[in-house]
Amino acid sequence: DIQMTQSPSSLSASVGDRVTITCRASQSISSHLNWYQQKPGKAPKVLIYAASSLQGGVPSRFSGSGSGTDFTLTISSLQPEDFGSYYCQQSYSAVWTFGQGTKVEIK
Amino acid sequence: EVQLVESGGGLVQPGGSLRLSCAASGFTFSDHYIDWVRQAPGKGLEWVGRSRNKAKSYTTEYAASVKGRFTISRDDSENSMYLQMNSLKTDDTAVYYCARIIVVSACHFFDFWGQGTLVTVSS
């Protein structure tokens, strides 16, 4: 199975900060990489699909980049409602895998 | 409005069985792949398995951690899919979500999720 490794596992940042989360695949997955946000007690919600495409209704402060094995999720200006956990997920192989998650806290 | 509603969770003893259901509405269920994803308490997301659609002969995929113990099936006439879980272990304790897959620009991703149902495996 393809392993997905996210970093950092957690971060604390202030409102207005630029936040970057990275995700590395154990083999090339082209651009078959998606990012999800999950709030406590809720189901995940897709933010970015195909590495860099913004899902409809998602604020433009969220962006994704990368291809092959290295990917990045960026929040250009952190907002109070952006707290929660973020997961990358590969859809390249038949067996999908998630990164272990990054917990984002607001200072 | 697209909706996915899971049911069937509860407390079960190690070695026991449980069947989860996922009822869909608001879209053409038979067109879509549907997956199960679980989340152990305080942990991350773990992909469990998939049912492809009729066009792909309802083929299934499973994570290594559940292969041989869990079985996914679906009934398009009822707009429902199922997760039969046998030989349950304490490590299977989790909230189980069903999620719809959509394809955009040749990329597959989950665009709608259910609210989840909690399965607790404990003696």
Side-chain angles (χ1 to χ4, degrees):
Chain A
D1 295 354
I2 299 174
Q3 305 303 314
M4 306 301 293
T5 304
Q6 274 181 248
S7 62
S9 56
S10 66
L11 65 91
S12 180
S14 300
V15 172
D17 283 354
R18 183 181 183 89
V19 169
T20 299
I21 300 168
T22 63
C23 179
R24 174 165 288 176
S26 60
Q27 68 180 73
S28 177
I29 58 171
S30 184
S31 294
H32 295 271
L33 189 284
N34 309 309
W35 290 97
Y36 300 85
Q37 176 195 61
Q38 186 181 31
K39 300 285 182 75
K42 300 293 187 182
K45 164 191 164 183
V46 64
L47 301 173
I48 302 287
Y49 64 92
S52 60
S53 296
L54 192 69
Q55 174 70 338
V58 174
S60 59
R61 63 181 179 274
F62 291 94
S63 64
S65 64
S67 66
T69 60
D70 294 309
F71 302 87
T72 300
L73 174 70
T74 299
I75 308 173
S76 61
S77 177
L78 191 69
Q79 298 302 301
E81 61 268 30
D82 297 337
F83 74 92
S85 294
Y86 292 80
Y87 296 90
C88 62
Q89 173 253 318
Q90 64 82 16
S91 57
Y92 179 80
S93 66
V95 173
W96 288 12
T97 44
F98 289 90
Q100 78 276 18
T102 296
K103 186 174 183 180
V104 174
E105 296 179 335
I106 309 295
K107 279 183 185 174
Chain B
E1 178 193 6
V2 172
Q3 281 199 322
L4 296 167
V5 179
E6 303 92 340
S7 60
L11 175 64
V12 60
Q13 292 189 336
S17 298
L18 207 59
R19 188 196 197 208
L20 305 184
S21 300
C22 171
S25 61
F27 65 99
T28 305
F29 180 75
S30 58
D31 285 349
H32 289 267
Y33 298 4
I34 305 289
D35 283 16
W36 289 96
V37 176
R38 68 184 181 182
Q39 186 168 37
K43 303 297 184 182
L45 300 170
E46 180 186 14
W47 181 83
V48 172
R50 169 171 309 124
S51 170
R52 294 186 179 89
N53 58 15
K54 182 177 181 179
K56 293 293 185 181
S57 304
Y58 301 120
T59 52
T60 54
E61 301 285 351
Y62 298 93
S65 59
V66 306
K67 201 167 188 177
R69 300 188 299 122
F70 289 12
T71 302
I72 292 172
S73 61
R74 63 192 287 166
D75 183 340
D76 286 356
S77 68
E78 295 289 331
N79 289 340
S80 294
M81 72 176 293
Y82 308 98
L83 179 65
Q84 177 67 45
M85 304 185 294
N86 298 331
S87 303
L88 281 162
K89 308 173 182 180
T90 54
D91 287 350
D92 295 319
T93 294
V95 173
Y96 284 73
Y97 297 99
C98 59
R100 185 180 84 163
I101 292 175
I102 193 172
V103 183
V104 178
S105 303
C107 182
H108 294 69
F109 59 96
F110 298 122
D111 69 333
F112 280 97
W113 298 65
Q115 84 290 349
T117 187
L118 176 63
V119 172
T120 303
V121 184
S122 175
S123 54

